[in-house]
Amino acid sequence: IATVLSMHPEVLVLDEPTGGLDPRSRRSLIQLLQELPLTMLVSTHDMHMVQEIFPRMIVIDEGRVVADGSTFSLMDDPKFLEAHGLEKP
């Protein structure tokens, strides 16, 4: 991540950034991402991180966009989350 940030990108694209991290490293990464003044595109199943950092989420299920909206609204619909293999943190 440091190497990419040194290039001053306009958009940061991450794939499962918290995967395989111990709790301390995960917390450090989340804090870093919260402080970055960048547009981020993050593919993840870490719903805790999504809820904590991102105001907007897009849900893709079986290769199709099934929702695009506010994280708060989508997380507040347990039936929708369950139907797409997700769980509210």
Side-chain angles (χ1 to χ4, degrees):
I1 292 176
T3 301
V4 171
L5 292 176
S6 73
M7 293 184 242
H8 306 288
E10 292 181 29
V11 177
L12 184 61
V13 179
L14 300 168
D15 183 15
E16 296 290 355
T18 58
L21 296 180
D22 62 74
R24 183 182 304 152
S25 296
R26 182 182 169 280
R27 172 61 32 216
S28 294
L29 177 62
I30 288 172
Q31 288 173 343
L32 170 70
L33 295 177
Q34 285 174 319
E35 295 172 5
L36 291 175
L38 293 172
T39 297
M40 287 182 247
L41 177 60
V42 179
S43 172
T44 187
H45 291 91
D46 185 343
M47 300 303 279
H48 288 279
M49 178 184 67
V50 170
Q51 188 173 40
E52 203 169 322
I53 300 177
F54 304 110
R56 175 182 172 207
M57 65 188 256
I58 298 171
V59 179
I60 299 173
D61 191 1
E62 296 187 10
R64 295 180 45 223
V65 173
V66 294
D68 178 353
S70 105
T71 298
F72 178 80
S73 296
L74 293 172
M75 290 277 197
D76 204 35
D77 186 346
K79 287 183 181 183
F80 168 79
L81 293 174
E82 184 179 337
H84 298 289
L86 301 170
E87 294 180 355
K88 183 175 182 172

